[in-house]
């Protein structure tokens, strides 16, 4: 299959254009069409001659996201896209508007292998990894459609980013490239369910992005009930990796904790969590669990959330309840794709 030209780093693109015998400036020209003007076809590269465009078409592809469904929240303007990929697969992205700008939550895989019991993305299993170019296309397509500049990225859509490590790292290089979108690594968050060896690898790259860790439980018994990854790498191993990440990068860890009624939301759970996290540079993000049609999990009450936060705070751990955006459009990732698959 032809190579996706949007997935090439600047250096790779320069080597390719050199091997085609083009002058040096061609690589800069093409890179700018791809990553500044974010074109979706070679014919839009109007300062290239027709023969050059034809040659590029023969040798490369552009793996674009096409908008299959777009939902806009009447409450807060959050936009959710269901994108169709070149092979007919679907992924979701969500654009959220904040005071400081626009943030996008993107998918990194089609489906997911991790099998977390509360997660809609796990239903239907894993299909394939996404390429760096496809991840970029989620952003570029939304940006073009909404006519906004997206300046924050969260890798929290469908998929486990650390299970598609090389493509994700390449994507990060491209989206932060100053010759392209030039998004600051400080404005990127990557969320993982806890693929421990890859957390070490990421830490060693010292990229300066924020690591979010989906913890969701204060101990191994509860965590293993809903997160199969915990049987491979348990909480102690995971927290050791998080400490290493902080020591190596100076960045605090953001722990995600979906509050599930009667499973992980008791006072005892809060105390145990506080003890586990004591001394770490971290923040806890409480998420009222989203009910997924195929699952029976229920949200904790608002009182429970408050009580949980108070217990953590008393032990010196800061925690906040994550603001729910786009609740009228089912904005949490995975649900639109799951309903598309069900409808056939
Ligand atoms: N695989 C990565 C990123 C994708 S999931 C990870 O596990 O972190 C993004 C976040 O949404 C994770 O914190 C995940 O645990 C959480 N999540 C999944 N299903 C959820 C649900 N039904 N309610 C609340 N949070 C959920």
């Amino acid at each position: 299959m032809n190579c996706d030209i949007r997935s090439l780093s600047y250096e790779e693109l320069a080597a390719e254009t050199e091997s085609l015998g083009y002058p040096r400036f061609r690589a800069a020209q093409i890179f700018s069409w791809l990553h500044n003007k974010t074109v979706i076809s070679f014919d839009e590269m109007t300062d290239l001659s027709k023969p050059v465009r034809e040659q590029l078409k023969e040798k490369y592809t552009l793996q674009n996201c096409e908008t299959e469904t777009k939902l806009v929240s009447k409450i807060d303007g959050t936009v959710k896209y269901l994108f169709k990929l070149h092979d007919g697969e679907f992924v979701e992205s969500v654009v959220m508007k904040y005071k400081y700008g626009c943030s996008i939550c993107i998918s990194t895989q089609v489906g997911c292998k991790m099998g977390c019991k509360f997660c809609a993305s796990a239903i239907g299993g894993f299909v394939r990894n996404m390429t760096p170019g496809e991840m970029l296309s989620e952003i570029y397509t939304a940006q073009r459609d909404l006519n906004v500049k997206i300046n924050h990225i969260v890798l929290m859509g469908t998929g486990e980013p650390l299970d598609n490590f090389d493509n994700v790292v390449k994507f990060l290089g491209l989206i932060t490239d100053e010759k392209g979108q030039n998004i600051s690594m400080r404005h990127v968050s990557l969320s993982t369910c806890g693929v421990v060896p890859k957390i070490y690898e990421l830490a060693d790259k010292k990229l300066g992005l924020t690591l979010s860790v989906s913890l969701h439980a204060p101990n191994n018994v509860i965590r293993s009930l809903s997160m199969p990854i915990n049987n491979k790498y348990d909480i102690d191993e995971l927290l050791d990796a998080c400490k290493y990440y902080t020591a190596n990068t100076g960045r605090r860890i953001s722990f995600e904790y979906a509050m599930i009624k009667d499973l992980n939301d008791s006072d005892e759970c809060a105390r145990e969590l506080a003890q586990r996290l004591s001394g770490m540079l971290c923040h806890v993000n409480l998420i009222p669990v989203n009910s997924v049609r195929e699952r029976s999990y229920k949200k904790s009450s608002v009182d429970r959330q408050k009580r949980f936060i108070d217990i953590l705070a008393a032990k010196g751990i800061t925690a906040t309840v994550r603001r729910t955006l786009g609740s009228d459009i089912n904005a949490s990732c995975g649900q639109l794709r799951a309903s598309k698959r069900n409808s056939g």
Side-chain angles (χ1 to χ4, degrees):
M1 202 183 99
N2 283 356
C3 148
D4 173 39
I5 195 167
R6 197 186 283 115
S7 292
L8 299 176
S9 68
Y10 185 80
E11 292 69 31
E12 287 169 339
L13 184 65
E16 289 281 326
T17 51
E18 199 181 321
S19 76
L20 290 171
Y22 297 161
R24 264 178 174 270
F25 64 86
R26 271 287 179 266
Q29 244 176 344
I30 297 172
F31 196 85
S32 178
W33 280 115
L34 292 170
H35 302 288
N36 279 314
K37 300 176 198 92
T38 65
V39 298
I40 56 171
S41 71
F42 293 104
D43 286 330
E44 287 176 82
M45 302 182 178
T46 47
D47 59 1
L48 303 184
S49 70
K50 192 128 195 282
V52 169
R53 294 198 311 247
E54 291 305 318
Q55 193 174 25
L56 291 176
K57 269 188 231 173
E58 259 167 44
K59 210 162 176 257
Y60 306 100
T61 56
L62 269 165
Q63 296 180 347
N64 298 318
C65 288
E66 270 175 44
T67 304
E68 175 79 8
T69 310
K70 175 184 173 186
L71 301 174
V72 184
S73 165
K74 292 193 180 70
I75 303 171
D76 50 46
T78 296
V79 183
K80 178 162 184 165
Y81 292 98
L82 181 68
F83 288 131
K84 190 173 186 177
L85 305 177
H86 66 97
D87 59 354
E89 293 294 341
F90 293 98
V91 294
E92 289 175 30
S93 313
V94 180
V95 178
M96 295 146 286
K97 292 173 186 151
Y98 293 99
K99 263 188 252 130
Y100 55 75
C102 278
S103 170
I104 190 166
C105 172
I106 64 163
S107 296
T108 54
Q109 295 181 315
V110 181
C112 186
K113 293 178 204 158
M114 300 297 138
C116 300
K117 300 260 167 56
F118 43 77
C119 182
S121 300
I123 300 163
F126 175 73
V127 180
R128 67 169 175 87
N129 281 328
M130 290 179 73
T131 63
E134 286 176 322
M135 294 177 224
L136 292 167
S137 178
E138 293 180 72
I139 300 171
Y140 298 172
T141 307
Q143 214 166 235
R144 272 169 77 126
D145 178 54
L146 299 172
N147 199 18
V148 292
K149 169 80 177 128
I150 288 169
N151 43 24
H152 285 71
I153 299 170
V154 291
L155 277 61
M156 243 192 214
T158 297
E160 168 50 49
L162 297 187
D163 185 46
N164 186 14
F165 191 83
D166 294 343
N167 283 340
V168 164
V169 168
K170 204 156 176 213
F171 156 79
L172 292 170
L174 281 160
I175 197 69
T176 54
D177 193 314
E178 54 190 27
K179 295 181 287 307
Q181 293 289 310
N182 195 15
I183 291 181
S184 161
M185 212 48 111
R186 301 235 147 218
H187 291 175
V188 179
S189 295
L190 181 154
S191 182
T192 179
C193 65
V195 187
V196 164
K198 296 292 174 187
I199 295 178
Y200 284 99
E201 226 177 289
L202 189 69
D204 287 338
K205 289 193 177 293
K206 294 195 196 309
L207 297 179
L209 52 80
T210 299
L211 185 65
S212 289
V213 173
S214 301
L215 196 57
H216 304 321
N219 60 47
N220 287 318
V221 173
I222 298 179
R223 195 162 193 265
S224 290
L225 285 176
S226 54
M227 299 184 71
I229 187 86
N230 199 66
N231 298 318
K232 199 158 181 194
Y233 309 109
D234 71 13
I235 291 197
D236 293 318
E237 291 171 274
L238 175 57
L239 294 184
D240 281 348
C242 292
K243 286 173 191 159
Y244 182 84
Y245 189 87
T246 300
N248 234 21
T249 62
R251 308 282 293 167
R252 79 173 184 181
I253 306 285
S254 178
F255 287 108
E256 309 296 310
Y257 197 102
M259 299 269 296
I260 304 172
K261 187 171 184 298
D262 300 332
L263 180 74
N264 64 2
D265 65 347
S266 66
D267 288 2
E268 184 50 36
C269 284
R271 281 192 287 269
E272 200 177 348
L273 181 66
Q275 192 167 6
R276 270 240 148 78
L277 302 184
S278 143
M280 290 184 73
L281 188 61
C282 68
H283 179 87
V284 176
N285 248 324
L286 294 181
I287 317 162
V289 77
N290 280 301
S291 45
V292 175
R293 208 177 14 164
E294 292 81 351
R295 307 283 192 231
S296 58
Y297 291 103
K298 300 251 172 343
K299 273 189 180 67
S300 304
S301 68
V302 173
D303 283 349
R304 266 283 98 220
Q305 294 167 19
K306 285 194 182 127
R307 174 99 184 121
F308 208 87
I309 289 182
D310 288 345
I311 294 173
L312 291 177
K315 309 257 179 202
I317 309 283
T318 61
T320 43
V321 177
R322 184 188 297 156
R323 198 153 63 99
T324 308
L325 289 172
S327 52
D328 55 331
I329 55 166
N330 224 350
S332 29
C333 275
Q335 307 194 16
L336 200 56
R337 177 169 171 265
S339 57
K340 177 84 191 169
R341 290 177 55 255
N342 287 341
S343 69

